[in-house]
Amino acid sequence: MAFGIFKKKNTADIIYINGHIYTQDPAFPWASAVACREGRVLAVGDFDGMDEIISEDTVVYDLEEKYVFPGFIDVHGTPVLKVFEDKYLSIDPVWDLDTVLEAVSDYAEACENEVIFAYGYNENILSDYDDPEDAHRLLDEAVHDRPVVLLGISGVHCWINTLASDMVTEAAEDEGLEYISADYILNFLSPFDFEEVEKAVLQNEEDLADKGITSVMNLCVPDYLSMLYQDCLVAMIGESISIKQRFAGSLYVNRPLNPELILHKLSTGKTNCTELGGLITFDHLKLEVNQDEEQAYFSQEALDTICLAAAEKGYHIHLDALDQESFDKAADSFGYVRSKGCKHNTLIIACDQSAEEDAPYITTWPTDYLNESVFAHCHSVSDAIDQLTTKAAEILGRSDEFGSIEQGKIADFTVFEENPFDSNLENFSKMHAALTVIDSQIAYDVDEECMEEMCDLLLSMRL
């Protein structure tokens, strides 16, 4: 028996057979075959019942008794920060001015980078320096022989030294620009080697695929780093290099910025993804809210305004509430959004407590910077699989397309040699995927990867 569409014109492109397929569909939890057409599931069931959707062009792939699950989705990580973590100076926003300057000086002395880049300083440490040139000279005390650019924790302000200022100002004057934005400064100074970043992105994708991850959600990362990561993915797609995970981008906001600026950045990010076949999306506003006025303070009115503006344009909102007062404020804002008729957005509060029954939002655990997995938050293998499939799809706002293997849903699968349900949680957390499938096509095959590594090793030995 097979469940799906049986019309000759809807014959399958590929059918995966002879597997143990865990569908996450309560009505039909296990199957032995799944047929796909144009990147979506056409039918699920037994191969013997799929005669009517097989044509001479249908590829039949033997899973050889492997265990297939809906594609695993990581909606709690920071894959971009993982790629960049050793390529810049990370500044703790609680550091005072002297601590930041000392850290920048030490970092510059220890590295040979042509441009010194750091991220995370709290813009409030420059509150006594109204004149930009005074701020430039202050940074000169740390580094004067190379351009320095520090990106503030808000992601929209830069602090640069005099050398960097002179370079940027001259370029802007040549282009006839009247206003120099943080984006212009960063793109002009270009503190990263794109080829090195691209290699790091490829390695990160490989590492995630090894864990069975087919989709990642990017959280709590400044726009500049996110765009660099995304540019690498776009370049790979343009070069016909198969990317190993879908990438769900988000705009990170941790200050009450002008809603029009937020909407502009959201719209730009979404527009840049329109022709990428769903492999890269940009549908989420990521807010980080804290009652500390020195860190990430939002008034109730500011939060309500920002949330409503984003929701009315169809964006999902993922909010980290960093304390109880922030949680209460977020809950009130989300209730306000729903009262204004925004019913189809996914509203998430990342916190240490659960949502009340019938709450207008869902809750998940706080964002883990540079996290390795979801397993620390789960109590069983079944719970971990739920978190990586159905619950992750709900947080992503795409339960209608991901999270289970059902007719009509996107054909993303994670495949293991052994049954995770026969293992304990600790062992499952260390299991390596045998295959991952995106849009019904194999994106990662551990046997092929091992063969390529062996060939590379042999070539290096000959050299």
Side-chain angles (χ1 to χ4, degrees):
M1 180 182 296
F3 297 90
I5 302 174
F6 301 111
K7 296 180 180 178
K8 205 63 179 177
K9 66 179 181 180
N10 286 324
T11 55
D13 300 323
I14 185 168
I15 303 178
Y16 292 90
I17 68 168
N18 194 25
H20 306 279
I21 302 170
Y22 184 68
T23 67
Q24 278 286 27
D25 177 3
F28 189 64
W30 288 95
S32 61
V34 54
C36 309
R37 177 179 173 81
E38 297 179 350
R40 291 184 180 265
V41 174
L42 180 61
V44 187
D46 301 322
F47 182 59
D48 291 343
M50 296 183 177
D51 293 345
E52 295 186 34
I53 56 173
I54 298 176
S55 74
E56 61 182 14
D57 296 321
T58 301
V59 175
V60 178
Y61 184 94
D62 188 350
L63 290 163
E64 300 177 339
E65 300 292 334
K66 293 182 178 69
Y67 291 81
V68 182
F69 293 81
F72 286 176
I73 308 168
D74 185 354
V75 291
H76 297 96
T78 52
V80 175
L81 287 183
K82 186 69 175 177
V83 163
F84 284 98
E85 65 177 328
D86 60 348
K87 293 178 174 57
Y88 69 94
L89 171 64
S90 178
I91 297 176
D92 192 319
V94 303
W95 289 355
D96 61 20
L97 182 59
D98 290 338
T99 304
V100 170
L101 291 173
E102 182 179 358
V104 171
S105 178
D106 291 344
Y107 179 75
E109 187 173 337
C111 74
E112 298 179 355
N113 298 350
E114 293 182 4
V115 177
I116 305 301
F117 177 76
Y119 163 64
Y121 77 94
N122 188 332
E123 290 91 339
N124 292 331
I125 64 174
L126 294 176
S127 59
D128 293 334
Y129 296 86
D130 296 329
D131 187 339
E133 291 188 4
D134 289 340
H136 300 334
R137 286 191 289 268
L138 188 64
L139 196 52
D140 290 342
E141 296 176 12
V143 184
H144 67 275
D145 60 340
R146 282 173 285 175
V148 179
V149 54
L150 275 56
L151 181 62
I153 189 64
S154 69
V156 296
H157 294 105
C158 280
W159 178 17
I160 56 181
N161 67 352
T162 301
L163 180 57
S165 176
D166 291 343
M167 295 168 62
V168 170
T169 300
E170 181 179 355
E173 289 176 351
D174 289 343
E175 296 180 34
L177 297 179
E178 296 183 3
Y179 172 73
I180 300 176
S181 66
D183 288 341
Y184 181 84
I185 293 172
L186 292 165
N187 288 320
F188 175 77
L189 292 175
S190 189
F192 299 105
D193 182 306
F194 188 81
E195 289 186 0
E196 288 186 4
V197 174
E198 194 170 36
K199 289 178 182 177
V201 170
L202 282 167
Q203 184 59 57
N204 191 53
E205 286 209 319
E206 187 86 12
D207 295 342
L208 289 168
D210 181 64
K211 299 175 183 177
I213 303 298
T214 60
S215 295
V216 293
M217 184 177 180
N218 180 45
L219 298 171
C220 296
V221 179
D223 198 34
Y224 174 64
L225 297 183
S226 294
M227 288 301 102
L228 273 179
Y229 188 103
Q230 185 170 310
D231 286 346
C232 290
L233 297 180
V234 172
M236 284 188 276
I237 294 172
E239 296 168 6
S240 298
I241 298 174
S242 176
I243 67 173
K244 293 179 170 58
Q245 288 88 35
R246 298 179 188 274
F247 182 78
S250 66
L251 177 65
Y252 177 45
V253 175
N254 61 7
R255 294 288 189 280
L257 304 177
N258 186 323
E260 291 184 4
L261 174 62
I262 292 174
L263 290 179
H264 172 71
K265 285 183 170 289
L266 286 169
S267 177
T268 300
K270 190 166 188 175
T271 299
N272 290 339
C273 299
T274 54
E275 298 181 2
L276 298 175
L279 293 173
I280 304 175
T281 56
F282 197 88
D283 298 319
H284 286 76
L285 171 62
K286 174 62 178 179
L287 298 172
E288 188 174 81
V289 179
N290 190 327
Q291 289 307 106
D292 185 347
E293 294 191 12
E294 293 296 317
Q295 296 297 321
Y297 179 77
F298 286 77
S299 69
Q300 186 71 59
E301 181 181 3
L303 189 60
D304 289 350
T305 302
I306 290 170
C307 288
L308 182 60
E312 286 182 334
K313 293 297 183 180
Y315 294 99
H316 307 300
I317 304 172
H318 192 295
L319 189 152
D320 261 283
L322 302 184
D323 50 51
Q324 182 61 48
E325 288 184 69
S326 297
F327 174 86
D328 295 338
K329 190 176 289 185
D332 288 344
S333 282
F334 285 171
Y336 174 71
V337 165
R338 292 294 191 229
S339 74
K340 292 297 183 177
C342 300
K343 304 296 184 184
H344 303 295
N345 318 76
T346 300
L347 305 176
I348 306 106
I349 302 180
C351 59
D352 291 319
Q353 63 188 83
S354 300
E356 296 181 1
E357 189 174 353
D358 299 325
Y361 52 84
I362 59 178
T363 56
T364 187
W365 57 82
T367 303
D368 293 338
Y369 294 89
L370 302 176
N371 81 326
E372 294 297 329
S373 69
V374 303
F375 298 102
H377 302 274
C378 299
H379 304 290
S380 66
V381 171
S382 179
D383 183 21
I385 290 173
D386 288 347
Q387 291 289 349
L388 288 163
T389 56
T390 54
K391 293 181 180 178
E394 183 181 12
I395 290 172
L396 201 60
R398 300 182 70 179
S399 293
D400 58 333
E401 294 186 298
F402 297 105
S404 61
I405 302 176
E406 298 181 69
Q407 188 267 320
K409 289 197 172 184
I410 290 174
D412 287 3
F413 313 134
T414 296
V415 184
F416 295 100
E417 289 281 357
E418 299 176 354
N419 186 359
F421 288 119
D422 291 340
S423 181
N424 58 37
L425 186 60
E426 181 180 358
N427 288 336
F428 177 42
S429 71
K430 300 174 183 177
M431 286 181 69
H432 302 280
L435 302 170
T436 63
V437 174
I438 296 178
D439 278 341
S440 78
Q441 303 301 308
I442 293 175
Y444 172 82
D445 183 332
V446 68
D447 291 336
E448 288 187 5
E449 297 296 332
C450 290
M451 185 64 70
E452 288 181 7
E453 288 180 8
M454 181 63 71
C455 290
D456 290 342
L457 177 61
L458 291 173
L459 286 172
S460 66
M461 291 174 66
R462 287 180 182 178
L463 295 174

